[in-house]
């Protein structure tokens, strides 16, 4: 059953719908908020959308680097792949739905 979770990212409220633990969604939102705020320190006048896109690129880079390490060390677990897919879906639904 999908749950609706309220999260605040860079001062804006988002309602994120997901089939996972609400605490997990909150942790993801906090991670996204920290990354965007980190980027904002270097670009204080950048629009929020630009910061969100740059944060997404940072996360995508981290994911690709993680995949490359996994490819070198063997196949990743199905659980890790499922969590990654859920993260991407939550980001897409949360960010695209509220822009």
């Amino acid at each position: 059953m999908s749950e609706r979770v309220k999260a605040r990212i860079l001062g804006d409220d988002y309602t994120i719908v997901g089939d996972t633990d609400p605490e997990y969604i909150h942790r993801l939102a906090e991670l996204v908020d920290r990354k965007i705020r980190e980027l904002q320190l270097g670009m204080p006048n950048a629009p929020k959308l630009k910061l969100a896109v740059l944060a997404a690129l940072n996360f995508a880079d981290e994911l690709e680097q993680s995949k490359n390490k996994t490819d070198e060390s063997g196949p990743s677990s199905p659980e890790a792949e499922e969590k990654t897919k859920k993260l991407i879906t939550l980001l897409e639904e949360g960010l695209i739905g509220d822009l």
Side-chain angles (χ1 to χ4, degrees):
M1 182 169 132
S2 294
E3 295 210 31
R4 298 174 70 82
V5 179
K6 298 277 187 189
R8 183 173 278 262
I9 299 173
L10 203 59
D12 292 330
D13 292 322
Y14 294 90
T15 300
I16 302 167
V17 179
D19 292 330
T20 189
D21 179 28
E23 287 302 314
Y24 178 71
I25 294 172
H26 281 289
R27 285 195 310 271
L28 294 177
E30 289 172 6
L31 179 65
V32 170
D33 185 65
R34 275 196 308 272
K35 178 64 78 176
I36 292 174
R37 288 183 187 281
E38 178 184 304
L39 291 167
Q40 190 179 42
L41 289 174
M43 302 181 304
N45 297 321
K48 289 181 180 181
L49 179 58
K50 183 173 187 171
L51 293 169
V53 169
L54 291 172
L57 285 170
N58 274 269
F59 288 127
D61 176 53
E62 290 173 14
L63 178 61
E64 283 301 308
Q65 288 182 30
S66 176
K67 282 183 182 179
N68 289 338
K69 287 180 186 175
T70 301
D71 289 344
E72 293 169 5
S73 64
S76 64
S77 72
E79 182 180 302
E81 289 181 20
E82 183 63 29
K83 285 187 176 184
T84 301
K85 288 177 187 175
K86 283 184 180 180
L87 171 61
I88 291 168
T89 301
L90 289 171
L91 287 171
E92 288 173 346
E93 290 174 357
L95 289 177
I96 293 171
D98 287 342
L99 286 178

